[in-house]
Amino acid sequence: METTLARGLKDVVLDTTESSFIDGEAGILLYRGYTIHDLAEYSNFEEVCYLLLHGSLPTAEELGAFRKRLVSYRALPKEIIEVLRLVQGAHPMDALRTGISAIAAFDPDVADNSREANVRKSERLTAQFPSVVAAHHRIRRGLEPVAPREDLSHAANFLYMLDGKEPSKEAVAAMDLDFLLHAEHGANASAFAARVTASTLADMHSAIVTAIGTLKGPLHGGAAEAVQEMTEEIGDPSRAEEYIKAKIARGERIMGFGHRVYKAEDPRARHMREKSRSLGESTGQEDWYKILQQVEKDMAPYQSRGIFVNVDFYAGSVYNLLGIPEDLFVPIFAIGRIPGWCIEILEQFDNNMLIRPLLQYVGPKDVAYVPLDKR
Ligand SMILES: CC(C)(COP(=O)(O)OP(=O)(O)OC[C@H]1O[C@@H](n2cnc3c(N)ncnc32)[C@H](O)[C@@H]1OP(=O)(O)O)[C@@H](O)C(=O)NCCC(=O)NCCS
């Protein structure tokens, strides 16, 4: 049998999808046909969740009912709070993975793999992610979790549950935009991993836990945290050029640059860039933005090799300006991405085929077995 080696499954088309379209050469991203730029300007996270999970933009009535359902799913079972207390010393991403794994045991639809049940589970998971992240963050700081508020939007309620204070309009708008921009992105590593689990006909929670584990790495969700660390190391725009040159000379990557699919600027980056600029201006902390701008300028020569800024480059500075600690950056990505994971899993279930690639064996053959006492 003739086989082709496709390391990292680069350029391999896994399946068809109706959820998102990416043109990596032109830097285009559409959610169900709508350009990310229109959604970033006119829509909000809840509406985009509905669009992704239910296939079309909601009417006012549908959106109202959807929001009510999300609000009703926000409170966590008390047993989950206890689980989060037990893992309070864990990295927030590990706590999220553990909390969501445990939450499966309390989901009334856990054993039902019908489409209707999976849509209900998707909505519940979307509402529960921020609650798990916020509760763990409070507990690890020696504070009690803050009960969710019914009158706040998804983004506002998350910020409220983190700090116990009602966030500013500007903070809510930044968080909402960040969630919206991260909501769905095709067969990225974590969504692909979720599809692999779903393709065995395992349940939705198992597939989501797989995705959380996959998002954690610095080549995927961890990049924003790494960019923030880099910005702190650079410390001043005047030091950016030398820092970048030295890093590249050591064969290291500049975090927040490059993308497996985009060989032009990631279309989400411009919205985060603008938020980073405006939040920096309004909080009087413009240094982060200035350093990032300088790094972007110093990286311009690499554009000819298709290495452009990606969504994570400015995301870290936005979180930082919102007062969010670095180890919450990846869980925040997960809170934004949960509807995307869910729709990818739903699509996999709708037209399932076991995902099982091959490996090209390069080891020795015909090795004679040596008994234990002769080795
Ligand atoms: C995202 C990423 C893993 C995609 O990588 P990929 O599609 O596998 O591309 P490759 O790793 O094959 O890189 C192709 C070339 O570009 C270079 N490159 C890619 N990203 C780079 C970066 N951020 N900084 C410097 N060089 C980079 C590689 O070194 C490689 O050069 P070579 O051909 O001389 O070896 C990669 O760009 C990266 O590590 N980026 C930093 C992490 C990041 O920001 N991740 C968030 C993505 S949203």
Side-chain angles (χ1 to χ4, degrees), residues 194-213:
R195 274 183 176 262
V196 173
T197 301
S199 84
T200 70
L201 297 184
D203 61 285
M204 169 144 288
H205 284 83
S206 298
I208 293 295
V209 172
T210 304
I212 298 171

Side-chain angles (χ1 to χ4, degrees), residues 10 218-220 223 248 253-260 305 307 310 312:
K10 204 166 184 164
L219 297 189
H220 191 4
I248 300 254
R253 289 178 180 206
I254 308 302
M255 292 291 137
F257 281 85
H259 199 276
R260 173 57 66 82
R305 294 171 53 190
I307 302 172
N310 64 47
D312 289 322

Side-chain angles (χ1 to χ4, degrees), residues 91-161:
H91 185 283
M93 201 58 183
D94 297 342
L96 176 66
R97 192 195 59 227
T98 303
I100 294 301
S101 184
I103 232 166
F106 301 89
D107 194 297
D109 288 315
V110 69
D112 186 347
N113 227 6
S114 66
R115 192 170 215 287
E116 298 70 33
N118 281 327
V119 171
R120 287 195 295 273
K121 283 185 263 189
S122 301
E123 293 188 355
R124 274 198 284 273
L125 282 160
T126 300
Q128 290 162 338
F129 262 51
S131 303
V132 171
V133 173
H136 175 257
H137 182 58
R138 302 277 303 175
I139 292 167
R140 71 179 176 148
R141 288 188 298 156
L143 302 166
E144 276 306 299
V146 172
R149 260 184 41 191
E150 290 184 3
D151 58 323
L152 297 178
S153 71
H154 194 78
N157 180 58
F158 170 60
L159 292 172
Y160 169 70
M161 288 191 299

Side-chain angles (χ1 to χ4, degrees), residues 205-314:
H205 284 83
S206 298
I208 293 295
V209 172
T210 304
I212 298 171
T214 310
L215 183 68
K216 192 181 174 192
L219 297 189
H220 191 4
E225 193 174 336
V227 173
Q228 183 57 29
E229 280 159 15
M230 173 178 80
T231 318
E232 281 165 23
E233 270 170 39
I234 295 174
D236 188 273
S238 63
R239 285 201 285 272
E241 190 178 358
E242 195 189 329
Y243 180 95
I244 300 297
K245 277 193 179 146
K247 220 170 162 60
I248 300 254
R250 291 196 298 272
E252 293 175 22
R253 289 178 180 206
I254 308 302
M255 292 291 137
F257 281 85
H259 199 276
R260 173 57 66 82
V261 184
Y262 294 119
K263 301 302 166 199
E265 183 175 301
D266 179 335
R268 302 165 298 177
R270 78 160 87 146
H271 301 284
M272 292 313 280
R273 184 190 287 112
E274 175 49 26
K275 273 286 171 246
S276 172
R277 190 201 61 73
S278 62
L279 272 176
E281 200 178 274
S282 65
T283 57
Q285 300 179 67
E286 287 162 278
D287 291 3
W288 302 118
Y289 180 71
K290 284 184 187 154
I291 295 171
L292 293 173
Q293 281 275 284
Q294 192 56 47
V295 172
E296 216 186 328
K297 276 193 198 120
D298 296 332
M299 283 295 286
Y302 296 89
Q303 291 183 358
S304 58
R305 294 171 53 190
I307 302 172
F308 288 79
V309 78
N310 64 47
V311 67
D312 289 322
F313 187 65
Y314 286 96

